[in-house]
């Protein structure tokens, strides 16, 4: 069945949304930005994107507790007796809240005029050192990259040192410092932009462009005769190398977080279902570095949220932070947190230098598409529609076709070797052709190396009951229809290399949603058809986030997030992450 065309909304339109649900008043506090979706099922930010932080009283401290409890298990520990929430505090310890009022109060003894910051526990101060070390390592890498790029440019352009080119030796020494200054000016060392997301790479690229433009304009204005070959080599190499080293540095951090290190201890305040959904997602996407160790629920809750310790109600958030040894509080959107109560909670957390993150209920909206604009003194969150057409789409098409052409040339020997292996392994054609559904529901022929026996489609009915997926896809780890060579091709995704011809021909993209079958599209729920607003890709967010190990609904959600938030910088990050995902081979079957 052919899918009905899905039209992309015109670019440039926008809407203004008052942040919060049921006049929650989050906008009144003036400390909101897009963050984690309140539903706990969909999450804003990109893949890398990361979880957008809002309402941070101080810059992110990212205080982990090294060697703390693993994300997958019970965190924080339950009070003696094993039960639910601890007994609420009384007197000055407990935040005041009028009887019958569901909003959150603050301690009566809080000095709002002089919120003297107190020194946190020694473990918290010690745990913060990883952030300082990470930033220091990044600075050292940037300096080293600048020096290597300058030396390489000098060697390739001039070779030996002569009186004529001695001035370029001085320039080679100044280039790392100029690059470091440009990175600092472009805020590439801000901790809230590091660790996850694409903003860091965008700022590095902006810094490289700024240095190049400054050199070009300065040499022209001052009539300085610079060797163009030196500049053309040094600055692009330094910028590209900075991005690569930062990516590798971040991957090392993510590996440490998977081991339970460099994590922030988080207390979540919200309703039960939202808390459960958010906790499940953060435990699955551990690279965010947020370890949920406890929760605070609305009044009259049942005291149970999975394996989390419940420290009380919304009035007990500040006390829960102290008991759990937490350094971050995530507030999920709910009507109990109005503007006044959220502002007072921020004042409480400010004293102990605790980060406050407000998870807005706008689902999968990237920070780059949102701005806060005052309307009659009330901050309103202005949401731009995603750009699905225009100049950026043309740039993506050019990037795809040029990239596919270069990759076809680079992988030509691999393509020939794999084709020979498939031919010798089993009877049948080398290439497998199948009808898939592309942009706007248009059908096309996808190319892959054959990894199954020729009667695979006929044998599908015999093993369909063994499907390990919970959606319309059929996936099976030990599928008997796969050939001997096919197992290795799938393990390293070599069977997908012929799709480069699809990309070069314009029916696919290097990065995008997974190309669906006609039967899948016929079973799509309404929202899932949004995936057809862009060209399908060889790789995408779902491929770098677990591949076949992900539930079908989660793969759809990741594809929808990409459609709403795509950019060339995000494509580059996904391509880099694809290399590590292919090397690990997780979920490839």
């Amino acid at each position: 069945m052919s899918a009905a065309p899905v039209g992309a909304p015109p670019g440039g339109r926008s809407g203004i949304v008052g942040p919060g649900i049921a006049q929650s008043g989050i906008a009144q506090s003036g400390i909101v930005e897009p963050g984690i979706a309140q539903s706990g099922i969909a999450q804003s930010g990109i893949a890398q994107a990361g979880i957008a932080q809002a309402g941070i009283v101080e810059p992110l401290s990212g205080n982990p507790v090294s060697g703390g409890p693993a994300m997958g298990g019970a965190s924080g520990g339950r009070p003696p007796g094993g039960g639910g929430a601890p007994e609420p505090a009384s007197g000055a310890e407990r935040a005041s809240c009028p009887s019958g009022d569901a909003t959150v109060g603050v301690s009566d003894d809080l000095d709002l005029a002089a919120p003297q910051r107190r020194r946190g526990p020694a473990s918290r101060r010690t745990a913060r050192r990883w952030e300082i070390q990470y930033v220091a390592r990044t600075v050292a890498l940037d300096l080293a990259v600048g020096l290597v790029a300058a030396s390489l440019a000098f060697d390739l352009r001039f070779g030996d040192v002569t009186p004529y080119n001695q001035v370029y030796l001085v320039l080679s020494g100044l280039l790392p410092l100029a690059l470091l200054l440009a990175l600092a000016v472009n805020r590439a060392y801000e901790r809230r932009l590091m660790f996850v997301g694409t903003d860091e790479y965008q700022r590095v690229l902006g810094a490289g462009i700024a240095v190049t433009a400054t050199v070009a304009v300065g040499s022209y204005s001052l009539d300085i005769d610079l060797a163009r070959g030196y500049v053309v080599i040094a600055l692009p190499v330094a910028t590209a190398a900075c991005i690569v080293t930062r990516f590798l540095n971040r991957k090392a951090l993510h590996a440490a977080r998977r081991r339970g290190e460099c994590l922030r201890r988080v207390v979540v305040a919200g309703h039960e279902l939202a808390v459960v959904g958010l906790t499940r997602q953060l435990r699955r996407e551990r690279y965010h570095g947020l370890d949920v160790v406890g929760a605070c629920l609305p009044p009259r809750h049942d005291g149970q949220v999975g394996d989390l310790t419940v420290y009380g109600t919304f009035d007990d958030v500040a006390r829960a932070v102290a008991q759990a040894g937490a350094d971050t509080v995530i507030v999920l959107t709910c009507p109990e947190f109005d503007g006044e109560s959220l502002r007072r909670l921020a004042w409480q957390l400010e004293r102990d230098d605790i980060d406050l993150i407000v998870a807005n209920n706008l689902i999968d909206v990237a920070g780059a598409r949102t701005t806060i604009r005052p309307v009659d003194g009330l901050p309103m969150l202005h949401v731009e529609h995603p750009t699905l057409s225009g100049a950026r789409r043309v740039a993506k098409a050019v990037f795809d076709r040029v990239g596919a052409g270069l990759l076809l040339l680079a992988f030509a020997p691999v393509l020939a070797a794999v084709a020979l292996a498939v031919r010798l392994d089993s009877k049948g054609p080398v290439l497998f052709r199948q009808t898939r559904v592309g942009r706007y529901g248009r059908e096309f022929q996808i190319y892959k190396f054959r990894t199954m026996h020729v009667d695979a489609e006929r044998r599908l009915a015999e093993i369909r009951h063994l499907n390990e997926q919970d959606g319309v896809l059929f996936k099976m780890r030990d599928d008997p229809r796969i050939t001997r060579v096919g197992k290795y091709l799938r393990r390293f995704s070599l069977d997908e290399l012929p799709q480069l011809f699809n990309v070069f021909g314009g029916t696919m993209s290097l990065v995008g949603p997974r190309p669906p079958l006609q039967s899948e599209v016929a079973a799509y729920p309404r929202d899932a058809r949004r995936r057809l607003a862009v060209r399908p890709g060889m790789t995408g967010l779902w491929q770098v986030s677990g591949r076949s190990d992900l539930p079908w609904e989660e793969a759809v959600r990741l594809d929808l997030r990409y459609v709403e938030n795509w950019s060339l910088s995000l494509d580059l990050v996904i391509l880099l992450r694809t290399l590590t995902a292919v090397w690990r081979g997780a979920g490839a079957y």
Side-chain angles (χ1 to χ4, degrees), residues 101-124:
D101 191 353
T103 58
V104 185
V106 295
S107 300
D108 295 332
D109 61 350
L110 178 61
D111 186 358
L112 304 182
Q116 183 68 32
R117 180 168 293 117
R118 300 180 299 204
R119 290 176 62 85
S123 60
R124 184 183 300 158

Side-chain angles (χ1 to χ4, degrees), residues 153-190:
F154 184 90
D155 186 63
L156 293 178
R157 175 60 180 83
F158 302 110
D160 298 331
V161 179
T162 65
Y164 163 75
N165 59 36
Q166 284 182 349
V167 65
Y168 288 95
L169 286 178
V170 178
L171 290 177
S172 297
L174 294 176
L175 178 62
L177 300 178
L179 181 63
L180 198 69
L181 178 62
L183 290 170
V185 171
N186 277 277
R187 299 189 301 169
Y189 296 110
E190 286 194 13

Side-chain angles (χ1 to χ4, degrees), residues 139 374 582:
V139 172
V582 169

Side-chain angles (χ1 to χ4, degrees), residues 23-298:
Q23 298 292 333
S24 65
I26 294 179
Q28 298 175 18
S29 69
I31 57 174
V32 68
E33 287 187 14
I36 310 161
Q38 181 255 359
S39 65
I41 299 175
Q43 170 193 10
S44 75
I46 310 304
Q48 6 185 305
I51 298 178
Q53 296 165 355
I56 299 177
V57 179
E58 293 291 326
L60 269 178
S61 63
N63 322 332
V65 176
S66 182
M71 288 282 227
S75 302
R78 292 192 178 276
E87 290 296 324
S90 59
E93 292 181 348
R94 172 154 183 164
S96 61
C97 183
S99 178
D101 191 353
T103 58
V104 185
V106 295
S107 300
D108 295 332
D109 61 350
L110 178 61
D111 186 358
L112 304 182
Q116 183 68 32
R117 180 168 293 117
R118 300 180 299 204
R119 290 176 62 85
S123 60
R124 184 183 300 158
R125 295 196 304 271
T126 301
R128 291 182 181 180
R129 294 176 185 171
W130 77 265
E131 273 200 348
I132 299 174
Q133 294 171 353
Y134 184 92
V135 175
R137 185 165 60 248
T138 302
V139 172
L141 287 172
D142 290 341
L143 285 173
V145 159
L147 185 59
V148 170
S151 302
L152 179 64
F154 184 90
D155 186 63
L156 293 178
R157 175 60 180 83
F158 302 110
D160 298 331
V161 179
T162 65
Y164 163 75
N165 59 36
Q166 284 182 349
V167 65
Y168 288 95
L169 286 178
V170 178
L171 290 177
S172 297
L174 294 176
L175 178 62
L177 300 178
L179 181 63
L180 198 69
L181 178 62
L183 290 170
V185 171
N186 277 277
R187 299 189 301 169
Y189 296 110
E190 286 194 13
R191 288 179 292 176
R192 70 182 185 88
L193 301 177
M194 304 176 81
F195 315 133
V196 292
T198 61
D199 283 346
E200 179 184 3
Y201 305 128
Q202 291 175 345
R203 295 185 182 278
V204 172
L205 183 60
I209 294 174
V211 173
T212 303
T214 301
V215 170
V217 173
S219 61
Y220 178 79
S221 301
L222 301 176
D223 197 20
I224 299 176
D225 187 17
L226 281 178
R228 287 187 293 271
Y230 174 85
V231 176
V232 167
I233 296 173
L235 296 181
V237 169
T239 303
C242 269
I243 294 176
V244 172
T245 54
R246 284 174 177 249
F247 173 79
L248 296 176
N249 197 22
R250 181 182 292 188
K251 296 304 291 184
L253 172 64
H254 292 175
R257 285 176 168 175
R258 286 193 294 270
R259 297 192 301 268
E261 304 169 5
C262 303
L263 299 174
R264 299 169 186 158
R265 293 175 62 84
V266 178
V267 170
V268 180
H271 288 269
E272 289 93 329
L273 288 179
V275 171
V276 170
L278 175 64
T279 302
R280 183 184 301 117
Q281 187 160 1
L282 291 179
R283 287 176 175 176
R284 183 175 61 247
E285 301 176 355
R286 299 190 64 182
Y287 61 86
H288 288 301
L290 299 175
D291 182 11
V292 180
V293 296
C296 290
L297 304 178

